[in-house]
Amino acid sequence: MKKFLLLFGLTVFLFSCSEDDDHQCIECHIAFMLDTGVELPTDIGEFCDEALTDIEMNGYNLLEDIQNGDTVVPAGFYPADMIHCEEHADHDHDHDH
Amino acid sequence: MNFYKVFTYFVFLNFCCAFAQDKGFILDSERKGISSATIFFADINLEVYSRDDGSFTIPKDIPANSLVEIKKSGYISQVIQFNTNKKFELILESLHIQLDEVEIIESTNQLGNTKLVSVEKKVLNDLSTTSLVENITQLSGVNWIGSGQGIQKIVVRGLSGMRVVTYLNGMRIENQQWANDHGIGFTELGLSEVELIKGSSALKYGGEAVGGLLYFKDAPFLESEKLSGFISTKFDNSHFSYGNKFGLKWSKNKFYFNLYGQYTIATDYRLPDNTYLYNSRFRNQGIKFSASYRSNKIQHIFRYQHNAEQLGIPAHVCDPTLGNIELTQILSDEISLSEDYDLSVIRPIQNVSNHLFIYESNYFINNNKFSLHIGHFINNLKEYEKVTFPAFDMDLISTQFRLNLRKKIKDYTINIGSQATRNSNKNYTVDYLIPDGLSSDIGLYSILDYEKNNLGFNAGARFDFKEIVCDSYNFQNTFSSLSSSLGMYYKYKDHVFRLTYSGAFRSPHLSELFSDGVHHGTNRYELGNESLDIEKGRQFDLKYQWSSQHFGIVLNPFLQFIQDYISIEPMDSIIQNNRVFNYTQFDQVKLSGFEMHLHYHPHFMHNLHLEQTYSFVETKNQDSNRALALTPSNKIKTKIRLDFNQNRLGFFKSISLYHTYSFEQKNVSQFELPSDEYNLVNIDIAFDFFKKIDFILGVANLFNEEYVPHLSRIKDVPGVPTGIPNPGRSFNINLRYTF
């Protein structure tokens, strides 16, 4: 019986390992396309919770131009498919979530 | 006086009870007891082990004439019919040459008689150093499509996806298997064996298995009132994966219970050049239990299983139309063990949740066995491209009902039955790739086996009627066809011959008819084709086996034709930044090949085993004279195992060396790249430190070979002409405590 209870406890433990992270803040960027066809990721800051859902679902209205290296990313509306909040391989391991 | 009466009564009662617990014996040819032999009562899925003196207790109320398989490594297995009136004493003959899972032998199977049908078997256990799929691909003619250990699916003689049907404990697994980025959906947890039919001979389990059928079986129940089980852990340093499992078996009177649990997590895998394939990480959780109650004529079994998987989809680019991608987008120079097990913000990923419920009932009367099987499978697949909401969220719910009667009349065995299945696909997102739809299938089958002395034959037919309804496209269509199978077996001295013919059909799947959307896992826009019709397969399979005391050989040529073969082909157009792929049908394709198995066992060294398999397959689209896409490269696989059981050497139990030589593959389809040859060497060393602890140390890809299998999902990545290699050298540790 002790062994049975031990293994039952293990089962419960295994399924409690799922992460339920209610509070989520992530850096997002505009995937700005250069004339050369190369993507220039342009950071637009960190977004959390509902704001994060909103920007991923509806896009982002950039209020001011952003200087990104030699390129100026103009103010204006950027649709959801140009907004990326997911991480890429060249991530810097400093996200907060 | 009364005291003496009562005393005599109790003594008599105890005497009767003691002798009612019938004993059986498993002996060798010198009539010495064989210990730890498995006595498997196949019809009631129950096993017991023999004691040191070869004796075992026969469980109560075993149905008369039910099948019993007696197995012990190093001896010839036997299948007998249980006879309540006869003493259970069996002599096993020793066997030096074991052609493993491929030989034509006496064994109990779900898929049919191995002598008459092309069934191969692979034993699965919790101590395997490779994944479930990689373990099965040790069989010749079996390969896998995938990317790392996360996403893997089986290819049989060049066919996969909808053409290779998977059953788990009698339930057909429907988990959106049409796509190469959708894996098998469960792990090796609690499984004991898989049976495989190559080609289309699986009449009992559906006519749609044009390419083959895999039948996974849970470990049997154990007749023992003592709680027994295991706890195991496994670590692999290519993925930095670790997995913990436990299992237990318990029985009391006629009630049996098995319980298993698993948790596995892995980060991105390391390539031979010490970079890491970003987003090849995964996590898996599983729990399953099964309970059985039986009386002398009827048995009830209930099973439940839940698997939850999170799988990263590697080598993904945000905009595939950009052409060549930068390697920095898909590879990392380093991993952070504190962060890179995390799947919460990396994209794309799949979240898969599977629930499987099964009820089985077996009723035994005279020489008949009635079986009822009811299964319900819920597969939820979410694919995330964005962080906060899924691009797809689909439920695929399958309900299956099967009734079978097995009747034995002298040397004939007849199986007749019916199977009904209902699959419903439902989307919970606005955008979707395949629409909501419903398919219903009912099949009737009859299979006759005859076996006497050294001759046997098999004949079977199955009629299936399928209806597919899709309201979004105002589509309602029916597909029906007849599948058939014929087999013949003949044994002459040490030579065994078997010839089988099978014909099967497969009706088009919802995804092939109505796909219309971006498939993020494959970076393509997929378009269905409403005009697709049934594809029909015919296969001839010849098997010849010969073995002497120290050498064995199996030769297995095959030829298969598939008419109206459904394929997905690229088109010269782009939709939503993805190349368009369209489903089409080829008039006829031909698949032919040859498999060979050798087992050498030198007389001077009984504990050395040398096994080699050769598998060659060629595919041809006879419309274009080109090969089919994803035709596996030819392979030679060698295994050398040295057991130290007889000549004990310290703590060593055995050493196994695996070598795979994969030929280059230049027979490719129009839009496919060829692949190079490679050599792969793995090694496993098993130790025997303590009686109840198993410890295996393994090294995979010993020489850190940089290789890209032809079936790799990440072979044809734009900008990476050589493809992305499989993992480099990795060490793995397996530890299991059994109690």
Side-chain angles (χ1 to χ4, degrees):
Chain A
M1 193 62 188
K2 278 180 185 170
K3 283 178 184 169
F4 183 82
L5 288 173
L6 174 72
L7 291 170
F8 182 75
L10 272 172
T11 312
V12 173
F13 170 73
L14 289 182
F15 279 81
S16 64
C17 291
S18 306
E19 288 170 27
D20 287 313
D21 196 349
D22 293 334
H23 184 66
Q24 201 170 37
C25 294
I26 305 170
E27 295 274 352
C28 296
H29 67 260
I30 296 170
F32 185 72
M33 289 301 155
L34 299 174
D35 294 339
T36 54
V38 174
E39 178 191 315
L40 180 70
T42 304
D43 289 343
I44 49 175
E46 191 176 70
F47 293 81
C48 302
D49 306 328
E50 285 176 12
L52 179 62
T53 308
D54 182 59
I55 190 175
E56 285 204 305
M57 197 172 275
N58 302 317
Y60 181 65
N61 197 9
L62 182 65
L63 297 175
E64 291 178 6
D65 293 354
I66 295 178
Q67 186 74 38
N68 188 352
D70 297 335
T71 307
V72 174
V73 178
F77 178 74
Y78 291 88
D81 61 0
M82 290 182 74
I83 305 298
H84 293 174
C85 301
E86 72 276 10
E87 284 190 353
H88 293 287
D90 47 0
H91 61 309
D92 53 7
H93 286 121
D94 62 353
H95 56 258
D96 175 27
H97 52 87
Chain B
M1 189 61 192
N2 278 342
F3 171 78
Y4 286 110
K5 271 187 179 172
V6 171
F7 180 77
T8 311
Y9 173 76
F10 270 102
V11 169
F12 179 73
L13 195 67
N14 281 319
F15 182 83
C16 290
C17 289
F19 282 86
Q21 286 267 335
D22 261 350
K23 262 188 178 181
F25 289 91
I26 308 298
L27 308 169
D28 64 14
S29 49
E30 293 170 359
R31 297 195 65 80
K32 285 183 187 163
I34 299 173
S35 65
S36 305
T38 305
I39 300 97
F40 175 49
F41 296 87
D43 282 325
I44 53 171
N45 200 26
L46 176 67
E47 67 183 10
V48 292
Y49 300 108
S50 63
R51 302 180 190 97
D52 289 345
D53 62 351
S55 69
F56 64 94
T57 305
I58 300 170
K60 287 176 189 171
D61 296 331
I62 299 295
N65 299 313
S66 58
L67 295 176
V68 188
E69 184 176 356
I70 298 95
K71 298 179 278 190
K72 168 77 182 177
S73 178
Y75 294 87
I76 298 172
S77 301
Q78 283 196 39
V79 177
I80 58 164
Q81 279 195 293
F82 183 72
N83 187 336
T84 42
N85 303 318
K86 206 172 158 186
K87 192 178 173 188
F88 197 139
E89 187 179 290
L90 208 74
I91 293 172
L92 295 185
E93 288 178 43
S94 61
L95 173 75
H96 293 305
I97 287 295
Q98 205 162 348
L99 290 167
D100 296 312
E101 298 87 359
V102 297
E103 71 182 316
I104 303 166
I105 51 161
E106 191 86 58
S107 64
T108 54
N109 303 300
Q110 291 291 330
L111 298 183
N113 188 333
T114 30
K115 288 182 176 175
L116 306 169
V117 185
S118 181
V119 180
E120 295 180 8
K121 295 166 92 166
K122 181 85 191 153
V123 172
L124 308 169
N125 67 53
D126 299 293
L127 267 180
S128 172
T129 52
T130 55
S131 69
L132 171 65
V133 169
E134 288 169 86
N135 196 3
I136 298 167
T137 57
Q138 286 172 13
L139 292 170
S140 66
V142 185
N143 291 276
W144 59 277
I145 298 176
S147 46
Q149 290 177 5
I151 298 173
Q152 297 183 328
K153 66 191 306 166
I154 287 172
V155 180
V156 179
R157 289 177 174 169
L159 297 174
S160 61
M162 301 302 300
R163 295 183 184 90
V164 176
V165 173
T166 302
Y167 274 80
L168 177 57
N169 291 315
M171 180 69 192
R172 181 169 169 167
I173 300 302
E174 294 279 1
N175 62 343
Q176 312 287 4
Q177 67 271 32
W178 42 270
N180 287 341
D181 61 317
H182 301 161
I184 196 163
F186 53 91
T187 68
E188 72 281 0
L189 179 71
L191 297 174
S192 66
E193 202 172 56
V194 58
E195 294 176 17
L196 165 66
I197 284 189
K198 295 172 179 171
S200 44
S201 307
L203 291 182
K204 195 172 165 185
Y205 291 95
E208 298 214 327
V210 172
L213 189 141
L214 291 148
Y215 191 104
F216 291 88
K217 292 189 284 190
D218 268 5
F221 296 105
L222 184 67
E223 177 82 10
S224 166
E225 288 199 6
K226 188 180 154 224
L227 186 74
S228 58
F230 71 90
I231 296 172
S232 71
T233 188
K234 181 176 176 178
F235 174 76
D236 182 303
N237 90 329
S238 67
H239 274 267
F240 283 96
S241 70
Y242 61 88
N244 299 317
K245 279 187 266 189
F246 73 85
L248 69 88
K249 291 183 177 185
W250 176 76
S251 71
K252 188 152 192 175
N253 299 329
K254 293 171 184 175
F255 179 75
Y256 303 85
F257 188 74
N258 292 356
L259 171 71
Y260 300 90
Q262 176 179 31
Y263 182 82
T264 303
I265 191 160
T267 182
D268 301 335
Y269 79 69
R270 193 180 62 252
L271 278 67
D273 66 357
N274 285 325
T275 57
Y276 297 85
L277 178 61
Y278 189 67
N279 204 8
S280 55
R281 61 194 74 178
F282 62 93
R283 178 163 58 181
N284 186 294
Q285 292 160 285
I287 183 158
K288 66 197 290 184
F289 72 85
S290 45
S292 166
Y293 179 78
R294 66 181 183 87
S295 64
N296 58 345
K297 283 192 176 170
I298 194 160
Q299 179 187 32
H300 306 275
I301 301 175
F302 178 74
R303 301 181 196 274
Y304 169 73
Q305 173 161 353
H306 172 56
N307 276 84
E309 285 181 326
Q310 287 178 290
L311 303 158
I313 301 174
H316 177 82
V317 284
C318 296
D319 189 348
T321 56
L322 293 176
N324 293 352
I325 59 168
E326 299 289 328
L327 273 176
T328 52
Q329 288 179 274
I330 53 172
L331 300 179
S332 308
D333 290 332
E334 59 177 4
I335 56 165
S336 161
L337 292 180
S338 61
E339 294 180 6
D340 284 342
Y341 287 109
D342 185 13
L343 287 117
S344 63
V345 289
I346 57 151
R347 294 295 180 266
I349 65 160
Q350 292 172 6
N351 279 7
V352 182
S353 172
N354 292 329
H355 294 272
L356 172 61
F357 305 85
I358 289 173
Y359 168 73
E360 289 173 62
S361 176
N362 298 306
Y363 180 70
F364 305 88
I365 183 162
N366 301 327
N367 275 336
N368 306 325
K369 179 183 176 186
F370 294 90
S371 303
L372 168 69
H373 188 286
I374 301 169
H376 188 68
F377 186 61
I378 304 166
N379 166 254
N380 177 260
L381 171 67
K382 291 188 181 83
E383 283 196 8
Y384 283 85
E385 183 84 0
K386 298 285 187 185
V387 174
T388 51
F389 56 90
F392 300 136
D393 182 357
M394 289 187 278
D395 265 350
L396 176 54
I397 299 174
S398 311
T399 307
Q400 177 190 284
F401 175 91
R402 186 173 54 251
L403 202 58
N404 185 77
L405 164 66
R406 188 190 70 199
K407 188 170 181 65
K408 253 187 115 48
I409 308 168
K410 292 184 180 172
D411 301 317
Y412 293 89
T413 305
I414 302 165
N415 274 282
I416 53 172
S418 174
Q419 178 174 317
T421 312
R422 186 179 187 273
N423 294 325
S424 118
N425 195 75
K426 183 162 178 56
N427 289 281
Y428 298 101
T429 47
V430 179
D431 294 324
Y432 51 78
L433 175 56
I434 56 174
D436 292 358
L438 190 68
S439 76
S440 310
D441 184 345
I442 185 156
L444 295 165
Y445 61 85
S446 176
I447 305 162
L448 174 72
D449 291 346
Y450 167 81
E451 205 183 336
K452 190 172 185 181
N453 303 327
N454 293 327
L455 183 70
F457 73 80
N458 152 286
R462 177 180 174 117
F463 181 77
D464 275 274
F465 176 85
K466 186 169 187 173
E467 182 187 53
I468 297 179
V469 178
C470 180
D471 292 337
S472 315
Y473 288 83
N474 254 340
F475 181 92
Q476 182 171 9
N477 205 350
T478 55
F479 302 90
S480 58
S481 190
L482 187 72
S483 308
S484 58
S485 172
L486 278 172
M488 195 194 78
Y489 153 87
Y490 178 62
K491 186 176 179 186
Y492 176 72
K493 295 182 179 171
D494 294 328
H495 305 269
V496 184
F497 304 87
R498 191 192 59 213
L499 178 65
T500 56
Y501 162 80
S502 50
F505 82 98
R506 184 179 78 85
S507 47
H509 184 256
L510 207 60
S511 61
E512 295 163 331
L513 293 164
F514 305 115
S515 283
D516 190 358
V518 177
H519 185 194
H520 299 278
T522 52
N523 273 339
R524 58 195 194 188
Y525 193 99
E526 294 178 358
L527 267 179
N529 180 351
E530 274 188 52
S531 61
L532 296 178
D533 202 357
I534 286 172
E535 73 175 30
K536 304 164 204 84
R538 287 170 292 139
Q539 181 183 264
F540 298 91
D541 184 292
L542 175 68
K543 206 164 194 174
Y544 164 74
Q545 175 185 313
W546 175 80
S547 60
S548 69
Q549 204 175 2
H550 299 106
F551 183 74
I553 185 168
V554 175
L555 307 174
N556 189 184
F558 65 91
L559 175 66
Q560 185 171 22
F561 294 96
I562 303 175
Q563 280 176 299
D564 299 321
Y565 181 91
I566 299 170
S567 176
I568 187 162
E569 296 289 305
M571 296 171 75
D572 192 21
S573 54
I574 302 287
I575 301 179
Q576 293 179 20
N577 297 338
N578 287 272
R579 180 169 289 279
V580 178
F581 281 70
N582 187 26
Y583 283 97
T584 184
Q585 253 174 327
F586 303 146
D587 281 347
Q588 181 160 281
V589 302
K590 179 182 154 193
L591 299 98
S592 55
F594 181 77
E595 288 156 14
M596 182 163 79
H597 311 257
L598 295 174
H599 190 138
Y600 176 59
H601 175 79
H603 180 61
F604 59 89
M605 211 169 170
H606 275 178
N607 51 344
L608 178 69
H609 300 264
L610 173 65
E611 297 164 35
Q612 202 158 46
T613 68
Y614 302 76
S615 56
F616 302 93
V617 64
E618 188 180 86
T619 62
K620 189 175 271 186
N621 171 7
Q622 295 188 316
D623 296 359
S624 65
N625 271 338
R626 296 194 74 107
L628 297 176
L630 296 174
T631 300
S633 58
N634 296 329
K635 288 187 180 66
I636 300 176
K637 296 174 189 170
T638 308
K639 178 183 171 185
I640 301 170
R641 195 181 83 234
L642 188 60
D643 291 324
F644 296 110
N645 288 347
Q646 290 156 347
N647 314 315
R648 194 162 275 279
L649 187 70
F651 297 118
F652 289 104
K653 195 174 175 184
S654 68
I655 295 180
S656 303
L657 186 78
Y658 303 86
H659 172 251
T660 301
Y661 174 68
S662 175
F663 291 82
E664 62 179 6
Q665 180 56 289
K666 288 190 169 172
N667 296 321
V668 291
S669 67
Q670 193 177 354
F671 299 98
E672 195 180 26
L673 294 173
S675 57
D676 293 332
E677 62 176 357
Y678 62 84
N679 284 283
L680 186 65
V681 177
N682 297 345
I683 189 166
D684 287 345
I685 306 170
F687 296 91
D688 196 8
F689 292 120
F690 304 100
K691 195 180 173 188
K692 291 186 172 180
I693 294 179
D694 295 293
F695 178 58
I696 298 179
L697 187 65
V699 187
N701 193 359
L702 185 65
F703 299 112
N704 204 30
E705 173 98 357
E706 193 166 297
Y707 70 102
V708 183
H710 190 69
L711 301 188
S712 170
R713 284 185 60 249
I714 43 179
K715 181 171 74 70
D716 299 340
V717 177
V720 192
T722 53
I724 299 168
N726 268 24
R729 183 188 302 116
S730 67
F731 298 89
N732 53 70
I733 297 168
N734 282 263
L735 200 59
R736 181 176 68 177
Y737 168 67
T738 312
F739 56 87

